[in-house]
Amino acid sequence: MTKYIFVTGGVISGLGKGVTSASIGAILQMMGETNITIKKLDPYLNVDAGTMNPIEHGEVFVTDDGTETDLDLGYYERFLEIQTTKHNSSSSGKLFQKLIHKERNGDYLGKTVQMVPHFTDMIKEFICYNPGDYDYIICEIGGSVGDIEAMAFYEAIRQLKNDLGGDNILFIHLTYLLYLPATKELKTKPTQNTIRDLQQVGIIPDILICRSEVPIPKKIKEKLSLHTNLPIENIISAINSYSIYQVPLYFINEGVNLILSKRLNIKKKINTLKWKKLNNQINSLNDEKKLRIGIIGKYTELNDSYKSLLESIFHASTYHNYRVNIEWINSRENECFFSDTVDGVIIPGGFGLTGIETIISLIKLVREKKIPTLGICLGMQLMIIEYCRNILNIKDACSEEFDTQKSMVISKMDDEEVMGGTMRLGKYKINLIESKIKQIYKNNTIHERHRHRYGVNQEYSNLLHKSGFHVVGTSDGLTEIVEMDHKIHPWYIGCQYHPEYQSSPFEPHPLFLSFIQHCISKIK
Ligand code: GLN
């Protein structure tokens, strides 16, 4: 019988329900339960995250099957080393769309279609759909308890406890203890309120995880134990940590594994070796070995808009035992950029015209200064535009995304290439030719995830290749990777795909490993 763990949140958003859910999954894996998946239910009315502004909502994470999802799925994949699919993420919008479609189709046979039971049934169907025959399904409910859009989610999971039996369901509630510096006190009132909100919708948490800036004294735990009717061991403290990868072992320290084994009847012995090794690596980082990486991007106001990228940099630099300081360069603010202060530059993906010319002028600078550079998706496209303008003398080189009257060295892909959709999404096979990239990947073929509408115009790829900006990877004729001849620039690589979606702390992505290694070799 599949067991379900629900992770809800209260007081404020952004407490780290994604990291918490992923950590619970990691703990179950350490306890020998490997057949796990994690799902996310988002309350918003957008059908998916694809159209959402990264500055508002954070990055769009893309799965192997090309689903545009919430960034929390990235945590699930990185912590558990699993692949998620379209069945791992849904939103109120997506479920409503399905409901209305069914209603229009006459599937409800003239019945009055209602939030309960029709919409709640749809939610339960999403949660319980189990194509992988998983032993555990962890489900994170986005937003906070009390959100209007999410009310039906709580009702659905309340019903599920009845449907599946209490022994097969566990509720974890993540909350925040406010710290008042003036009186040096932790305040529990907002947490008491969120517990009451949860109780009002019929859910009693089994574990209360309390985020706080400072350690939680016993008397506060006792107070919360009274409000929740939980034993004091089930009130877990979660103080801020240096790295999110310290959280699973921290929770084990707090006894979360003991609660899980008791409640879910898990008898196997815990093996923490893999996570201890990673934590030792993280703990051995020090400020003496530090790199400065510049990120020239359009959405630098919010770190979450480049979440997977930042994680990939962290995985690779931790592997090489270096800390990384990120220097954000906001292309939309025309910030001045001191290229001498960075050891490497990354130009990530993005959409739309704003800030483009600034990025192109900065690319010229880093290319000429021979700073190690990695361009991803839009980043690669702009590297090519800059190269065409300044080296190949195609002065009006541009992308069809920005101007259709100029030389479109980057052009819109045809319908076949985007598989009938509006974007080419998900994992595609890429063939590599003899090159530095091939040595980096140690493979002739690779599989990487995509999210783009435009690509290198075939008419120009030969020209690029011959002039020293080699096209070293293609997928059905489409340019996937360009690499500057190392005699011209030692590490200047652009890829049309997004390597950052497939890096994990246990297996850092080869492209980031090579990039970081090269940055380190420059400062040594
Ligand atoms: N806007 C570009 C395109 O659609 C790049 C997309 C991206 O960077 N993800 O091709």
Side-chain angles (χ1 to χ4, degrees), residues 349-352 376-378 381 401 451-454 496 498:
F351 293 82
I376 296 172
C377 208
L378 177 76
Q381 297 174 356
E401 184 174 3
R451 183 173 183 244
H452 64 125
R453 196 170 279 131
Y454 301 86
Q496 185 60 78
H498 291 267

Side-chain angles (χ1 to χ4, degrees), residues 185-450:
E185 257 186 313
L186 276 173
K187 305 301 276 181
T188 60
K189 183 69 77 193
T191 292
Q192 292 175 36
N193 290 341
T194 171
I195 294 165
R196 212 184 28 241
D197 286 347
L198 208 55
Q199 286 166 347
Q200 252 164 21
V201 293
I203 296 170
I204 315 281
D206 297 282
I207 302 177
L208 187 73
I209 300 183
C210 308
R211 283 289 305 268
S212 77
E213 313 291 325
V214 294
I216 304 172
K218 191 157 170 246
K219 71 172 197 316
I220 298 276
K221 284 195 173 185
E222 280 166 356
K223 195 170 176 183
L224 291 171
S225 148
L226 199 67
H227 280 277
T228 47
N229 285 349
L230 287 175
I232 189 163
E233 306 86 70
N234 293 33
I235 313 291
I236 303 298
S237 94
I239 51 172
N240 297 342
S241 57
Y242 167 74
S243 157
I244 52 172
Y245 300 109
Q246 292 166 328
V247 176
L249 290 184
Y250 184 86
F251 281 173
I252 287 177
N253 227 4
E254 283 281 304
V256 171
N257 56 315
L258 303 178
I259 308 170
L260 294 177
S261 68
K262 201 156 134 199
R263 260 298 259 104
L264 302 171
N265 200 17
I266 306 171
K267 301 238 158 56
K268 293 173 206 159
K269 214 170 153 251
I270 192 157
N271 180 351
T272 54
L273 212 69
K274 173 175 146 180
W275 281 87
K276 276 207 173 121
K277 203 172 144 220
L278 174 66
N279 273 251
N280 288 343
Q281 262 178 335
I282 295 171
N283 293 335
S284 71
L285 298 172
N286 63 64
D287 275 347
E288 262 146 54
K289 288 171 149 184
K290 216 171 192 174
L291 278 180
R292 294 149 308 169
I293 304 293
I295 297 181
I296 310 175
K298 295 174 58 129
Y299 320 117
T300 54
E301 294 94 325
L302 182 74
N303 277 9
D304 268 3
S305 40
Y306 297 112
K307 198 75 234 172
S308 295
L309 177 64
L310 293 175
E311 290 299 312
S312 305
I313 296 170
F314 181 76
H315 304 154
S317 58
T318 303
Y319 177 91
H320 287 301
N321 199 232
Y322 264 74
R323 276 200 170 143
V324 167
N325 261 7
I326 301 290
E327 311 249 336
W328 293 104
I329 302 134
N330 184 346
S331 64
R332 294 183 305 158
E333 275 178 10
N334 245 330
E335 268 178 27
C336 59
F337 165 54
F338 303 103
S339 60
D340 297 337
T341 65
V342 295
D343 304 310
V345 162
I346 295 179
I347 310 134
F351 293 82
L353 181 64
T354 46
I356 292 303
E357 288 305 322
T358 310
I359 303 180
I360 293 174
S361 61
L362 295 179
I363 288 175
K364 179 168 185 285
L365 198 79
V366 296
R367 180 179 54 74
E368 288 173 348
K369 287 208 163 190
K370 299 199 189 327
I371 296 173
T373 305
L374 171 63
I376 296 172
C377 208
L378 177 76
M380 159 190 154
Q381 297 174 356
L382 299 180
M383 279 162 99
I384 289 173
I385 293 173
E386 186 280 327
Y387 187 81
C388 287
R389 286 189 194 171
N390 298 319
I391 303 290
L392 301 183
N393 233 352
I394 308 168
K395 291 288 174 221
D396 66 342
C398 201
S399 163
E400 193 169 350
E401 184 174 3
F402 315 128
D403 198 326
T404 49
Q405 305 303 314
K406 295 184 175 161
S407 299
M408 293 183 286
V409 295
I410 307 294
S411 57
K412 199 161 181 180
M413 289 181 288
D414 56 38
D415 286 352
E416 219 172 275
E417 285 167 326
V418 295
M419 306 284 279
T422 64
M423 270 209 265
R424 181 167 174 257
L425 290 163
K427 204 173 222 183
Y428 285 89
K429 181 172 153 195
I430 299 163
N431 297 313
L432 305 179
I433 59 168
E434 228 34 79
S435 56
K436 191 207 323 261
I437 283 286
K438 193 170 153 182
Q439 288 165 14
I440 290 173
Y441 276 96
K442 299 188 183 77
N443 232 324
N444 296 334
T445 54
I446 56 171
H447 294 84
E448 293 279 7
R449 297 185 193 169
H450 299 73

Side-chain angles (χ1 to χ4, degrees), residues 52-66:
M52 293 168 91
N53 182 346
I55 296 175
E56 228 177 85
H57 188 69
E59 115 186 324
V60 174
F61 185 80
V62 180
T63 57
D64 276 355
D65 67 357

Side-chain angles (χ1 to χ4, degrees), residues 166-186:
D167 287 350
N168 300 313
I169 281 199
L170 186 117
F171 293 110
I172 298 178
H173 191 57
L174 182 65
T175 179
Y176 184 62
L177 294 179
L178 229 66
Y179 180 66
L180 277 192
T183 51
K184 296 203 176 88
E185 257 186 313
L186 276 173

